[in-house]
Amino acid sequence: EVQLLESGGGSVQPGGSLRLSCAASGFTFSNYAMSWVRQAPGKGLEWVSGISGSGGNILSADSVKGRFTISRDNSKNTLDLQMNSLRAEDTAVYYCAKDRTTSTVTSVDYWGQGTLVTVSS
Amino acid sequence: QSALTQPASVSGSPGQSITISCTGTSSDVGGYNHVSWYQQHPGKAPKLMIYDVTNRPSGVSNRFSGSKSGNTASLTISGLQAEDEADYYCSSYVISDTLVFGGGTRLTVL
C-alpha cells in the first residue's frame, strides 16, 4: 500500500523559513517522479515543484522559483521542500504527491494527507 | 502558467449525468494526452479518478469517464450518486515540463 506521510508544517513569520518532509513507502521510490502541491484555505490546487525519479530533473512554479527548493533522498525514500522567504500568500496545506511516471510530472496518482503551513505575523 | 478553466459549479439529480469541462491551450491540454481528473471531498486529500484523458485507475467506478477535443477536456459522471458530491479538479502536463491544475468545480447532487 502506497503511503506518503508529510511533516514539518507549522506557523512562521513572513520572511522566515520552513522545511517540509515526506516519508514514502509501499512502492519503489526512485522509480517515480514526485511533486509538492499546495492548496490555500478555501482555494484550488496549485502545483509547486516537481522532481524526477533520479533527482536530475527539477522544475518549479514561477510563484516559488528562487525561494523553494525540492530535493529527494532515494536511499531514505524521502522528499523534502525547503521554503525560504515565506510570504502570507504561501499559507496553504502542502501535499506530497507521487507521479505515475519516472522522468517528469504528468499525473499524480497518490497524495499524502497534507501538512498546514501558516505564514503570519 | 495560468490555471486551466473549469466552471465554478455544476449540479445534477441522482441518476442523471453531468459533464465538467476543462479548457486550456495548445501548450497543455491540446498538446498532450496527460490530462487527469481528481475528486476531493471536504477536508480530504484529492483522489485520482481519470488519467491520460480517458483511463480509470483500478477501483474507480466506470460511471466516471473522460474525453478531450482540441484544447478542452471533459469529465462525465453518469448515474449520479449522493457520494459524488465533491470538488473536481483537472490537471495537465505543460510544454514547460510542469503541471497545471484547473480552478476546480463544485458538484452538487440535488
Side-chain angles (χ1 to χ4, degrees), chain A:
Chain A
E1 178 192 6
V2 172
Q3 290 194 348
L4 302 169
L5 187 60
E6 302 98 337
S7 60
S11 294
V12 61
Q13 291 188 338
S17 298
L18 214 54
R19 189 177 185 89
L20 305 182
S21 290
C22 172
S25 62
F27 63 101
T28 304
F29 185 67
S30 60
N31 283 358
Y32 296 94
M34 299 291 293
S35 288
W36 287 97
V37 178
R38 68 185 180 184
Q39 186 169 34
K43 302 296 184 182
L45 301 171
E46 180 189 14
W47 178 81
V48 172
S49 191
I51 186 168
S52 62
S54 67
N57 188 24
I58 291 176
L59 277 303
S60 294
D62 289 344
S63 58
V64 305
K65 233 169 238 184
R67 301 188 300 124
F68 291 10
T69 302
I70 191 173
S71 62
R72 67 190 296 160
D73 186 334
N74 286 346
S75 68
K76 297 180 180 178
N77 289 357
T78 56
L79 176 74
D80 289 341
L81 185 68
Q82 177 65 43
M83 303 185 295
N84 299 328
S85 303
L86 282 160
R87 307 166 180 167
E89 54 265 36
D90 296 318
T91 293
V93 172
Y94 284 73
Y95 292 103
C96 172
K98 172 189 171 292
D99 203 272
R100 293 188 60 256
T101 62
T102 299
S103 59
T104 189
V105 291
T106 60
S107 176
V108 174
D109 57 357
Y110 289 95
W111 302 71
Q113 85 290 348
T115 186
L116 178 63
V117 172
T118 303
V119 184
S120 173
S121 54

Side-chain angles (χ1 to χ4, degrees), chain B residues 58-101:
Chain B
S58 173
V60 172
S61 170
N62 59 9
R63 297 186 298 106
F64 292 82
S65 62
S67 63
K68 189 182 85 167
S69 177
N71 295 336
T72 297
S74 298
L75 172 71
T76 297
I77 307 174
S78 59
L80 212 54
Q81 299 178 1
E83 58 261 36
D84 298 334
E85 184 162 294
D87 293 328
Y88 290 84
Y89 295 90
C90 62
S91 75
S92 175
Y93 173 81
V94 184
I95 193 172
S96 52
D97 207 20
T98 57
L99 201 63
V100 64
F101 285 92

Side-chain angles (χ1 to χ4, degrees), chain B residues 6-92:
Chain B
Q6 297 181 232
S9 63
V10 298
S11 63
S13 299
Q16 288 186 331
S17 294
I18 64 95
T19 296
I20 300 172
S21 62
C22 170
T23 301
T25 68
S26 57
S27 295
D28 40 62
V29 174
Y32 304 92
N33 284 328
H34 291 310
V35 176
S36 300
W37 289 92
Y38 306 90
Q39 176 191 66
Q40 186 179 35
H41 286 109
K44 301 293 186 181
K47 174 187 176 183
L48 179 66
M49 306 302 285
I50 296 287
Y51 67 93
D52 291 349
V53 180
T54 62
N55 296 292
R56 271 189 315 275
S58 173
V60 172
S61 170
N62 59 9
R63 297 186 298 106
F64 292 82
S65 62
S67 63
K68 189 182 85 167
S69 177
N71 295 336
T72 297
S74 298
L75 172 71
T76 297
I77 307 174
S78 59
L80 212 54
Q81 299 178 1
E83 58 261 36
D84 298 334
E85 184 162 294
D87 293 328
Y88 290 84
Y89 295 90
C90 62
S91 75
S92 175

